[in-house]
Amino acid sequence: SLHTAMVEVLCNVTPAAMICDELRDNEAAKAAAAVGNHGVQLIATAHAETLAELVNNKAMAPVLGDFEECTLSDREAMRRSGAQRWGNFSKVRNQRIGEATFDAVVELRPPSCREGAWRVVLDVNGAIDAIVEKQPYGGELR
């Protein structure tokens, strides 16, 4: 499996960089996070059209900093939701608990998209936090 191969390479070779084609499940995501945590530069692909799609895929959580559910105070939940009155918001949210494995994310956009072929996200942690809060996450179109 990809997970086993990545861990074996990490233990036996001590590479400076590793390239992985398609993180497809939670075990591969955990292995990729372990590789990144050992200071190895990692380049990987994952099948998703956007970073938001990856954030919503629970299997990819290890490379996105992992998440935990938290309960906000009434005041904070109201502030974050933009609600104008009590009761129109959710107090339970997910939050990122660690750093993302990757320093940059490149979304390859479909040829039909007029806005550019790629979106490059350099503030990955900030983008993940924005996605969790259901806010736009930006990035540079190229």
Side-chain angles (χ1 to χ4, degrees):
S1 76
L2 178 62
H3 168 263
T4 304
M6 289 174 75
V7 171
E8 191 172 309
V9 167
L10 185 62
C11 292
N12 295 326
V13 182
T14 315
M18 190 179 294
I19 298 173
C20 172
D21 182 28
E22 193 179 354
L23 299 177
R24 56 176 70 104
D25 58 27
N26 188 258
E27 290 301 312
K30 285 179 184 176
V35 167
N37 289 337
H38 281 86
V40 176
Q41 185 174 13
L42 181 66
I43 299 170
T45 63
H47 284 275
E49 288 192 22
T50 64
L51 178 57
E53 238 180 72
L54 282 181
V55 170
N56 291 321
N57 179 348
K58 293 185 188 323
M60 294 296 111
V63 294
L64 301 172
D66 270 320
F67 299 95
E68 69 180 3
E69 199 172 78
C70 67
T71 304
L72 303 174
S73 69
D74 288 340
R75 193 170 304 250
E76 181 63 12
M78 190 171 172
R79 183 189 72 75
R80 288 189 189 192
S81 70
Q84 298 300 311
R85 45 177 226 224
W86 295 101
N88 291 343
F89 52 85
S90 173
K91 290 176 58 172
V92 178
R93 300 281 172 105
N94 279 330
Q95 69 180 15
R96 183 175 50 83
I97 57 174
E99 299 292 310
T101 301
F102 300 98
D103 295 328
V105 170
V106 178
E107 297 174 356
L108 301 178
R109 300 169 64 83
S112 61
C113 184
R114 291 185 226 139
E115 297 174 340
W118 304 352
R119 179 195 307 250
V120 180
V121 179
L122 297 177
D123 180 9
V124 177
N125 291 315
I128 292 168
D129 293 343
I131 292 164
V132 168
E133 291 292 326
K134 299 183 181 6
Q135 300 294 320
Y137 60 94
E140 182 181 327
L141 296 175
R142 296 184 180 185

